[in-house]
Amino acid sequence: LRHTCEQDEGMAGYGWTSYDTRTGGVHLVNDTGNQVDIVTQFSKTKEGNWGLRVTSLPRENAAIHQQTSVFFYVGLERAEATMKCMKRVSGGIACTGRTTDLGDFNILILDHQREGSSSAQTTVKSMTVAAEGIWQAKSTLSQELKRRSPEQVSLEDQAGQGNIHFVQKSFKGGFEFDVFFSSDSNTIMTSDALTQAITDGRKGFRERFSSVYAPQEPFTTAEYSRFSQYLLSNLIGGIGYFYGKSRVDTSSPEAYSENDPNFWEKANAARTHAIVEDDGPHELFSAVPSRPFFPRGFLWDEGFHLQVVMDWDMDVALEIVSS
C-alpha cells in the first residue's frame, strides 16, 4: 500500500515530465514493485477549476489481468466545512461541499474508457474524524482496511456525509479515470474538454520553454531539451503551500553553538532536555530542495530556486518571496 513516492521500495523513478504553474502538467510514476506505470495529467483553469486524469499502464512483465486498486481521498480540515459524496445513478461519484474559503464546490469522479482500459469496481467510504487527524489519512485508511476480512481488500461501501472521503477504484489490467473540481456547478470540466486542455497544455509548455530557455550549442538536440524540461518541471512542480504550527526548541544551550569538535554529540545530549513549544500557525509558499526526503521550504536553497522560477513566472516568484 503506497501513500507517497519514495526513492526505494521498488520505484524506478517518478516526476513531472512537463509542468506549468498556470495550466498544469504531466506526472509519471514508474512503480516496478507493483508492476505498473501511473500517468497523472492535470489541467487547471483561470477560474480555479481543474481536471485530473489518472492512467495506469501495466509494465511489460506484469501478470495478465493484474488487479490494481487506487484510492482517491479528500478531506476538510476546517470544523465548519461540510461535504457529502454519493454514487450517481448515471455512473461516477459526485461530491458537494462548502468551506468559508471556497464557498460551494463540486467534485466529480468518472471512469474514462479508452482502448485497453477496464471497468472499475468502485466503493466510497465517507467518515467523520477529528479535524486535527485529517492529515493522517494513510493511517485512517489502513485501519479501515484491517477491519475487513483478509479476503476483502476493499473498503466498506458507505457513501454520505463526512469530513474525509475515500474512493477506491479496483481494476484488472490498465485503467483510466477522471476527477473534476469546480467551484461553480455550471462550469465543471468535461472529459472531452480535459483531453483538449491536456493536449494544448503540453504543446504550450514545450513552445514556451523553447522561448524562455532558448537552447544553446552544443545542447540543442532533443534529449537535452527533454532533460531540461524535466528539471524545470520538477522544480516548479515541487512548489507547495504549507500551513500549520511549528514545533520549536526555545532553549539555547551552549552545546548548540558548534564550537566543540564533537559538537554533534553534545547537541544530541542537549536535545533530550529541550524545551519544545508550539509556535504559530504560520504559512509558507515555497519550492522544496527534494520532494522525497526534504519536502519543506529551505531559505538557503530558495534563492537558487528563484533564479530559475523568476524567468518562468515572475508573479509566482514574488508570491514566494512575500510569503
Side-chain angles (χ1 to χ4, degrees):
L1 177 62
R2 301 196 191 280
H3 185 248
T4 56
C5 286
E6 304 295 342
Q7 294 184 115
D8 49 10
E9 299 181 348
M11 281 289 178
Y14 55 91
W16 293 98
T17 58
S18 65
Y19 187 80
D20 184 276
T21 45
R22 302 292 173 178
T23 59
V26 181
H27 190 276
L28 175 63
V29 175
N30 301 121
D31 188 347
T32 53
N34 288 322
Q35 295 301 319
V36 65
D37 293 335
I38 297 178
V39 182
T40 303
Q41 301 177 92
F42 173 66
S43 181
K44 53 187 175 179
T45 68
K46 295 178 180 179
E47 295 77 25
N49 302 332
W50 51 261
L52 175 71
R53 177 162 294 161
V54 181
T55 305
S56 167
L57 306 170
R59 296 181 69 86
E60 187 175 355
N61 52 349
I64 299 176
H65 302 308
Q66 170 179 279
Q67 184 164 335
T68 305
S69 282
V70 178
F71 297 90
F72 176 85
Y73 68 88
V74 58
L76 302 172
E77 293 183 309
R78 299 291 180 87
E80 72 279 4
T82 61
M83 186 172 178
K84 182 178 182 180
C85 291
M86 300 297 293
K87 288 185 174 181
R88 302 194 314 173
V89 176
S90 58
I93 309 297
C95 302
T96 58
R98 180 176 180 79
T99 71
T100 53
D101 296 326
L102 295 173
D104 295 327
F105 66 87
N106 301 273
I107 296 176
L108 181 62
I109 304 172
L110 297 172
D111 286 347
H112 185 258
Q113 295 298 323
R114 65 176 181 84
E115 185 177 352
S117 66
S118 61
S119 298
Q121 176 185 348
T122 304
T123 57
V124 183
K125 178 66 174 179
S126 300
M127 304 175 61
T128 299
V129 302
E132 60 270 18
I134 293 290
W135 68 275
Q136 296 176 311
K138 181 182 179 181
S139 297
T140 302
L141 174 61
S142 297
Q143 290 169 7
E144 287 301 309
L145 290 173
K146 288 177 182 177
R147 291 191 179 100
R148 308 285 280 172
S149 66
E151 294 78 22
Q152 294 178 305
V153 190
S154 63
L155 292 170
E156 180 183 8
D157 203 4
Q158 194 176 44
Q161 196 80 25
N163 62 358
I164 188 167
H165 305 263
F166 296 94
V167 177
Q168 179 181 5
K169 302 186 79 64
S170 299
F171 305 86
K172 289 184 178 180
F175 63 82
E176 191 166 87
F177 66 91
D178 296 341
V179 181
F180 302 105
F181 171 88
S182 172
S183 55
D184 182 349
S185 59
N186 295 322
T187 59
I188 197 164
M189 196 179 290
T190 64
S191 290
D192 288 342
L194 177 58
T195 299
Q196 187 61 52
I198 291 169
T199 301
D200 294 345
R202 296 175 76 166
K203 180 175 182 290
F205 174 81
R206 290 192 298 267
E207 291 175 349
R208 185 155 183 259
F209 182 89
S210 297
S211 173
V212 175
Y213 306 104
Q216 300 181 19
E217 294 289 350
F219 308 107
T220 56
T221 56
E223 60 266 29
Y224 285 118
S225 179
R226 286 193 298 270
F227 178 66
S228 301
Q229 291 174 28
Y230 186 85
L231 291 178
L232 173 69
S233 298
N234 284 280
L235 171 61
I236 61 178
I239 295 174
Y241 174 76
F242 305 86
Y243 178 86
K245 294 181 179 180
S246 300
R247 298 283 288 164
V248 179
D249 179 1
T250 58
S251 61
S252 299
E254 179 63 25
Y256 289 174
S257 62
E258 302 184 5
N259 293 324
D260 190 277
N262 296 322
F263 68 88
W264 61 88
E265 296 176 354
K266 294 182 178 181
N268 284 337
R271 288 192 185 98
T272 63
H273 305 289
I275 302 172
V276 181
E277 300 176 350
D278 285 344
D279 184 60
H282 301 288
E283 61 180 357
L284 179 66
F285 186 53
S286 172
V288 299
S290 170
R291 287 172 62 199
F293 64 88
F294 204 109
R296 59 190 66 86
F298 188 50
L299 181 60
W300 175 271
D301 282 23
E302 199 62 7
F304 298 109
H305 297 156
L306 291 177
Q307 286 186 311
V308 179
V309 174
M310 68 175 62
D311 289 334
W312 184 260
D313 195 323
M314 179 60 79
D315 288 343
V316 169
L318 292 174
E319 283 190 52
I320 290 174
V321 171
S322 64
S323 75

